[in-house]
Each structure stands twice: as C-alpha cells, then as structure tokens.
Amino acid sequence: MKKNKITLYRLISKNIMTIVITGIVAVLIVITTISYLNFQKIENSFRENAKQLVSITFNSLYSTIYDFDARYYKGLDMFIEYLKTDQEDLDKKIMDFMYVNKRLGEEATITKVDMNTLNSKIKNKIKDLKNFDYFVELDLTSKNLIRNVYLKLNDNFYMLKTLLPVGKIENIISNLALLKEKYDFIKDINICTHTFEGLSDKFPELNKEDIEYLMKAFDTEKEVIIEKRNGINFYSIWKYEDEKTLFRPIGIVLKLDFSQFKTSMFINFLMFIIALGFILYIISKKAHRVSKQISKPFEIMLDNMKKFQETRYLEFDKIMEKCDIKEINELMTEYQKMTEDIMSSFEEINAMNEELESSYKEIEKVNNELEEAYLNFSTQLSIIAEGYDETTGNHVNRVGELSAFIAQKMGVKEETVEKIRYYAPLHDIGKIMIPKEILEKKGRLTEEEFEIMKKHTIYGSLLIGDSPKFEIARNIALYHHEKYNGNGYPYGLKGEEIPLCAAIVSVVDVYDALRSERPYKPAFSHEKTMDILINGDERTNPEDFHPDVLMILKEYEFEIRELWEKINQNSSKLLELLKEIDKK
C-alpha cells in the first residue's frame, strides 16, 4: 500500500509546527513538573515547619515547668536525704514537709498509696523504686498543673499531690492559639488534655472527628495524618517520660490549608497556558508564510520538469523569471550542465558498473575463503589446547559459547561476537609451552611454579601473533587473567584498560572452573558458583571482575546455566576428531 505523498509546503509547515509544538509541550511538561515538585516541597516545608514549631513550643513548655519547679525538687531531694539520716516518725516529718509547701501558697495533700488503685503505667514505674526515692507524675489541665510525687519510704508509698497555677505557662499555650492568625496556611490548631479538654478558651471546640483521630493517636502513640482535598490534618501527642518523670500526654490538632497557595499556582499556570497559546498562534502564522516562500519556487520548477519529460525542452528562462531565490537559480544552472554530462556518459557508467559488480563478487569470494581459513585455523588451535590440557577438555567449548552469549547480551557487534565465540577457546593456548608436570600437579603450586604458569598468557599471545585478524584472539590470550581492580597478571591492568573481550572471558573462565571438577576441588553447583562470583570467598573477589559482565551474568544466570549444561553433555572437539580418525 502506497503512502500518501505530501507537498513541500505542507511538509515544511508541518515540521515547523511539530518542532514548535513539541518544544512548547516539553517546556510545559518541565514547568508543570517543576511547579508540582516545588509545590510538594513547599507543602512539605509548611508541614515540617508547623510540626517543628509546635514541638519546639512544647519543649520550651517543659523547660519552663522544670525551671519553675527546680526549687521544689531541690528541697525534695534535701528532705529525702534528711529522712535517710533520721527515719523515726516518718509520717509526721512528711506532714511537716507538706505544711511548708502550703505556706508557700501551693494547694498540697498527702496520702498513703494503695497500689491496687493505680493505673498500670504508674504502678510499673513506682514498684521498682529504691527506698527513699521518688517518681514525679505531671498532668496539665486548663486550670492547674497537677504534680503527683510518689515517695517510697521503708516499703510504704506516699503520694504528695500539688495543684500548681498555670499562669506562668498560660502565655505559651496562648501563643500557640495565635499561630492560626499569624500563618495563613494554618486553618485550626487545638491543644487538649488526654481527656480532650482544651487547654485554652482560645482554641476551638473539638468535633467528633477530631476526638476520634486524637483517641487513635493517644492509643497508638503515633501521629495520625489525614489528607484533605486542600490541606492536611495532623493528630499527634506530646509527652515526656524518663526514669523519674512522666508528663501525661497532651493532644495536638493541627489543620493546614493550602487552598490559597493552590489557587495562586493555578492562576499562574493558566496565565502561562494562555501566553503559550498566543505565542503558538503567532508562530503558526509565521510558519505558513515562510513555508509558502520556500515551496513556491520548487512548485514552479517541478511543473517545468514535467513539461520537460513531454517536450524534452526545459524552460529555464520562465523559471528564472518567477524565482527570487539565488540558490534555486544556481541549482537550475548546475542541473542543466549535469543533465548534459549524465546523458553523454550514461552508457560508460553502465559498462563500469558491470565490471565493478564482477570484481566485487570475486573479492567477496576470496574474502569469504580467507575468513573461513582463519576460523578453521582457530578451531585447530583450540583442539591443540584441548588435547594438551586433558583435565579441562570440554572447558574450551563452554568458554567459547558462554563468552559469545554474554558479549551478545552486552550489545557487542555480531561480527565481534562470532570472533569471541571462535577465539575464546584459545585463551589458554599458551599452556602448551608450560611443563606438563606443573599443569597436572594436583597440589597447590609453589611461588616459582606459579610464576612459570603465569607466563602462559604471554606465550599464548606470541603463538597467535600480531596479525590484525587475530587481535581479539591475542587480547583474550594475553589479558584474560587481568583483574578489574588491577590485581591480575601479566601487566596489572585495571578497569577499562582491559579489553572487553578479555574481561568477558575472565569471568566465564572462573565460572566454568568453579562448575568443573579439578584435581584440587570438586565440581560446584550453579547456585554455589553464582554465590562465589557475586559475594566472593577465600579465593575469589567479586572486585576482580568487570561489573557490567557480572551484571549480565546475574541477569541471565538461568539461561547461562542451561547453556552450560547443554554444552557439557556434548563431546569435546578433540574427542570428535579422534572418532573421525578411528572411523578412517
């Protein structure tokens, strides 16, 4: 099915408008995203600032109460020290202490404590008190600050209850109520006791919903956040508790309203959309005008070319008369010259094309034969390597296929992938120059033996040679023992200094070695092998390997396991060759 053709005028207009609209949409998306993120950031900032403000205020409240009672606690500590030295008639001494407090203007009472009448929290706090020690419970109401001091004296518990005026902390509570007037985004604020009694008449009365969420906050001691259409409601508690003090929790209701901010943002966004629409209209008009100026001369030229096909005569003068663009005039002049040259040499070009096509086919045939010879040579070398190191026979086949698989998944060009498939089996070709007794040694190599073994990489590169055709084979043989962290050999290369083909073979070589039985170790499972490569063990460090290769190995580990097991079931190239010889 043929596509509908489009005129130059429509093409230019369409492309200009597409670019403009795409740019505007992109700008709109960016601005919208930035605006949304800024709004979220501002909203979160408002939220955190309001919460911090309330928290700081209540911490100041506790500090004020503590400073206010500092003299009382100092006197209480001195009184207890006095009781420790003179424990006779303790009840009378306690009554005298309370009498002194009453003279100071405090409304105070003392009672012996019945543990069964206490709530579990207070009971747990005072039951572990040491003798002649005390615990303080503070409870703030709208009228008083109730201070209950629990004393333990010779296994008896006394409660000194004092009703303190709240005049000195009333201003702090009132200042919290004024936050609503100071900040537009604070819709309501309420501070109440654990019995839902407001701490100031300036706070609004709690509704059923507020009481329900506050009750949940008191029960769980966690903040309850309710998202509203234009704001957020916070229901949280403030309390203070340490080994000797318990300040009864205070409920906090904080309602934030972002409707004014959202309205302002919406108006600004709407104005921006209107401005973009106006700009788009202006650009559209300009685009159509420019498109017409560019396309009209080409329409005239095309009409004349169609007439040329019929009459074999091109009316150049007519084109020039109606064209105001200098470049088009030059184009037509050159077109006339080119037409004459093409017509005179067309037959010569056809003859040259036939000759070039014949030469190309011959070159392609020679190149294919040469490529086939290179691949056949690499196959024969891999058979040599396989036969020399008999303990790792099928190892070279698996390394070749697995290396090609990983290279393909890493996006390596297909031509390079095939070279890795054929040349990876040659990675240990240099071992044919290593003494047989070192290769087949079942125990750990000595330092001198290991230094000899390390030379197989250099021997391999020398055997492969310097031909550009074998560059990948040489790099694999020479560098497949280099480590990504620079701890490898023979040159201690690190990172991207190591060719990717060698880095791939390095990982695959270790993977296959772990999966295979060797004189010094049993064969490991795929799962154990992956764990060693990714997490390391006493012999293997994951930092030795290229991280991208490890990532592909982990991502496609199931396919690699299946491929390894499939290849492992096949006979090695050497065994297949020996079978062919036996048949003959």
Side-chain angles (χ1 to χ4, degrees):
M1 184 176 179
K2 293 184 178 179
K3 294 182 178 179
N4 294 330
K5 296 182 179 179
I6 187 171
T7 63
L8 181 61
Y9 167 76
R10 288 178 58 83
L11 178 64
I12 296 173
S13 299
K14 181 180 178 181
N15 286 342
I16 292 176
M17 291 306 299
T18 299
I19 293 171
V20 172
I21 292 175
T22 302
I24 290 176
V25 170
V27 171
L28 188 61
I29 292 173
V30 170
I31 292 178
T32 302
T33 303
I34 292 174
S35 300
Y36 175 77
L37 294 177
N38 285 337
F39 175 76
Q40 292 294 319
K41 185 176 181 181
I42 293 171
E43 181 178 321
N44 291 334
S45 177
F46 283 162
R47 181 189 305 183
E48 293 301 321
N49 288 340
K51 289 166 62 178
Q52 288 179 9
L53 186 61
V54 173
S55 177
I56 290 171
T57 302
F58 274 103
N59 288 333
S60 300
L61 172 65
Y62 178 75
S63 298
T64 302
I65 294 173
Y66 184 82
D67 294 340
F68 174 68
D69 273 358
R71 187 177 64 178
Y72 173 82
Y73 292 126
K74 183 177 181 181
L76 180 61
D77 289 335
M78 293 175 62
F79 174 65
I80 290 176
E81 290 299 322
Y82 166 66
L83 293 179
K84 288 180 181 179
T85 59
D86 186 2
Q87 301 183 18
E88 294 183 3
D89 202 2
L90 292 178
D91 290 344
K92 182 179 182 306
K93 289 182 173 63
I94 294 173
M95 294 301 296
D96 291 341
F97 179 74
M98 293 303 300
Y99 177 73
V100 172
N101 288 339
K102 287 182 178 181
R103 290 188 60 188
L104 293 175
E106 297 179 351
E107 185 179 345
T109 60
I110 182 168
T111 57
K112 253 188 178 180
V113 176
D114 182 2
M115 295 291 284
N116 295 324
T117 62
L118 299 177
N119 65 55
S120 59
K121 194 171 189 68
I122 297 298
K123 186 186 296 184
N124 292 333
K125 286 287 186 180
I126 68 174
K127 72 177 182 180
D128 296 328
L129 283 176
K130 296 180 181 179
N131 199 23
F132 292 98
D133 201 358
Y134 64 90
F135 176 78
V136 180
E137 176 191 17
L138 297 173
D139 192 2
L140 182 63
T141 69
S142 61
K143 297 179 180 179
N144 301 102
L145 174 63
I146 303 173
R147 179 181 63 207
N148 295 327
V149 179
Y150 297 89
L151 288 172
K152 182 178 181 181
L153 303 175
N154 292 335
D155 297 329
N156 292 319
F157 292 93
Y158 298 86
M159 183 180 76
L160 284 65
K161 183 175 183 178
T162 309
L163 300 181
L164 302 174
V166 294
K168 292 190 176 183
I169 60 176
E170 209 168 29
N171 290 336
I172 296 177
I173 300 297
S174 298
N175 287 337
L176 284 175
L178 295 176
L179 289 176
K180 177 182 175 181
E181 301 175 4
K182 188 174 181 180
Y183 298 101
D184 293 337
F185 64 91
I186 297 181
K187 181 180 180 182
D188 269 324
I189 186 169
N190 198 320
I191 313 296
C192 67
T193 68
H194 53 88
T195 59
F196 309 110
E197 176 191 5
L199 292 179
S200 172
D201 55 4
K202 295 182 180 180
F203 294 133
E205 186 176 351
L206 294 172
N207 56 40
K208 291 183 179 180
E209 182 184 39
D210 294 336
I211 294 175
E212 178 185 350
Y213 289 127
L214 269 178
M215 189 177 298
K216 184 177 180 180
F218 278 120
D219 292 340
T220 61
E221 296 188 356
K222 292 182 180 180
E223 184 179 55
V224 177
I225 300 176
I226 305 300
E227 299 280 350
K228 297 289 186 179
R229 181 178 179 182
N230 291 318
I232 302 173
N233 292 354
F234 295 92
Y235 300 89
S236 58
I237 65 170
W238 179 89
K239 68 174 186 176
Y240 180 83
E241 184 176 353
D242 59 23
E243 293 181 355
K244 301 195 67 173
T245 308
L246 172 63
F247 201 123
R248 284 284 188 175
I250 296 173
I252 305 167
V253 179
L254 182 61
K255 299 180 180 180
L256 305 183
D257 184 8
F258 302 117
S259 58
Q260 293 183 358
F261 181 71
K262 287 184 176 180
T263 301
S264 176
M265 290 282 291
F266 177 75
I267 292 174
N268 290 336
F269 184 74
L270 186 61
M271 294 295 292
F272 178 74
I273 293 296
I274 294 173
L276 282 181
F278 179 73
I279 293 172
L280 182 62
Y281 173 77
I282 298 299
I283 293 176
S284 174
K285 289 292 185 182
K286 189 67 175 177
H288 286 295
R289 187 181 306 167
V290 171
S291 301
K292 197 66 177 176
Q293 289 176 348
I294 296 174
S295 63
K296 187 175 180 180
F298 286 95
E299 292 173 1
I300 297 172
M301 184 176 68
L302 181 61
D303 182 63
N304 279 269
M305 285 184 175
K306 289 179 179 178
K307 291 181 179 179
F308 172 74
Q309 291 180 350
E310 298 174 0
T311 62
R312 298 304 180 196
Y313 176 73
L314 193 59
E315 299 177 359
F316 290 101
D317 295 338
K318 187 175 182 180
I319 294 177
M320 303 306 177
E321 289 175 2
K322 296 184 179 181
C323 182
D324 298 328
I325 300 176
K326 177 183 176 182
E327 286 78 5
I328 293 180
N329 291 335
E330 293 177 353
L331 175 64
M332 294 309 302
T333 301
E334 294 301 320
Y335 175 77
Q336 183 180 15
K337 295 178 181 178
M338 182 184 66
T339 302
E340 294 174 355
D341 292 339
I342 290 176
M343 294 299 293
S344 62
S345 59
F346 184 74
E347 294 180 359
E348 181 181 352
I349 291 174
N350 282 338
M352 291 176 62
N353 283 341
E354 292 176 0
E355 184 178 349
L356 287 173
E357 184 177 359
S358 176
S359 300
Y360 173 78
K361 290 181 178 179
E362 187 65 28
I363 292 173
E364 186 178 23
K365 179 181 178 182
V366 172
N367 186 64
N368 289 338
E369 291 176 351
L370 182 60
E371 187 69 24
E372 185 178 349
Y374 282 134
L375 295 178
N376 183 61
F377 178 66
S378 68
T379 301
Q380 300 306 315
L381 284 178
S382 68
I383 292 175
I384 294 173
E386 179 183 353
Y388 192 73
D389 191 3
E390 61 182 9
T391 62
T392 60
N394 211 18
H395 166 71
V396 294
N397 297 340
R398 296 190 295 266
V399 170
E401 292 299 327
L402 292 180
S403 298
F405 176 85
I406 292 177
Q408 186 180 47
K409 296 302 181 183
M410 293 184 71
V412 176
K413 293 181 180 179
E414 191 61 33
E415 179 184 359
T416 305
V417 170
E418 290 305 313
K419 289 184 178 179
I420 291 175
R421 187 190 311 278
Y422 281 100
Y423 297 151
L426 302 180
H427 64 284
D428 281 337
I429 188 67
K431 286 185 177 181
I432 65 175
M433 300 182 70
I434 302 299
K436 198 77 170 179
E437 60 271 16
I438 293 179
L439 283 177
E440 297 179 353
K441 183 177 180 179
K442 295 185 178 181
R444 183 181 294 273
L445 299 179
T446 66
E447 290 187 9
E448 294 79 7
E449 290 171 337
F450 185 61
E451 288 300 320
I452 295 173
M453 176 66 80
K454 285 162 62 174
K455 293 181 180 179
H456 80 275
T457 57
I458 298 175
Y459 295 154
S461 69
L462 292 175
L463 288 172
I464 293 171
D466 296 329
S467 171
K469 279 285 184 179
F470 289 106
E471 181 182 4
I472 291 178
R474 184 173 60 258
N475 286 340
I476 291 174
L478 184 58
Y479 301 122
H480 73 279
H481 279 294
E482 298 287 359
K483 306 298 183 185
Y484 197 79
N485 55 14
N487 294 330
Y489 64 85
Y491 302 119
L493 302 183
K494 63 189 300 185
E496 301 304 322
E497 295 174 350
I498 305 170
L500 181 59
C501 57
I504 293 173
V505 173
S506 174
V507 175
V508 174
D509 190 27
V510 175
Y511 172 85
D512 189 77
L514 292 171
R515 292 292 315 268
S516 305
E517 182 179 354
R518 294 294 172 86
Y520 52 85
K521 60 170 281 296
F524 294 156
S525 67
H526 169 78
E527 289 73 18
K528 182 174 181 179
T529 298
M530 290 299 299
D531 181 66
I532 292 173
L533 287 172
I534 295 171
N535 300 313
D537 63 3
E538 66 276 2
R539 294 173 59 92
T540 305
N541 182 2
E543 295 180 0
D544 290 345
F545 308 116
H546 196 298
D548 292 344
V549 180
L550 270 185
M551 182 180 68
I552 294 295
L553 185 72
K554 184 177 180 181
E555 182 177 354
Y556 296 95
E557 64 168 302
F558 299 111
E559 292 89 338
I560 289 173
R561 178 181 61 186
E562 292 178 0
L563 181 59
W564 188 92
E565 292 173 352
K566 179 180 178 181
I567 301 170
N568 193 48
Q569 294 174 357
N570 298 333
S571 299
S572 68
K573 293 179 180 179
L574 180 60
L575 291 177
E576 292 176 357
L577 182 60
L578 292 175
K579 289 178 181 179
E580 290 294 329
I581 294 174
D582 291 339
K583 289 179 181 180
K584 295 179 180 181

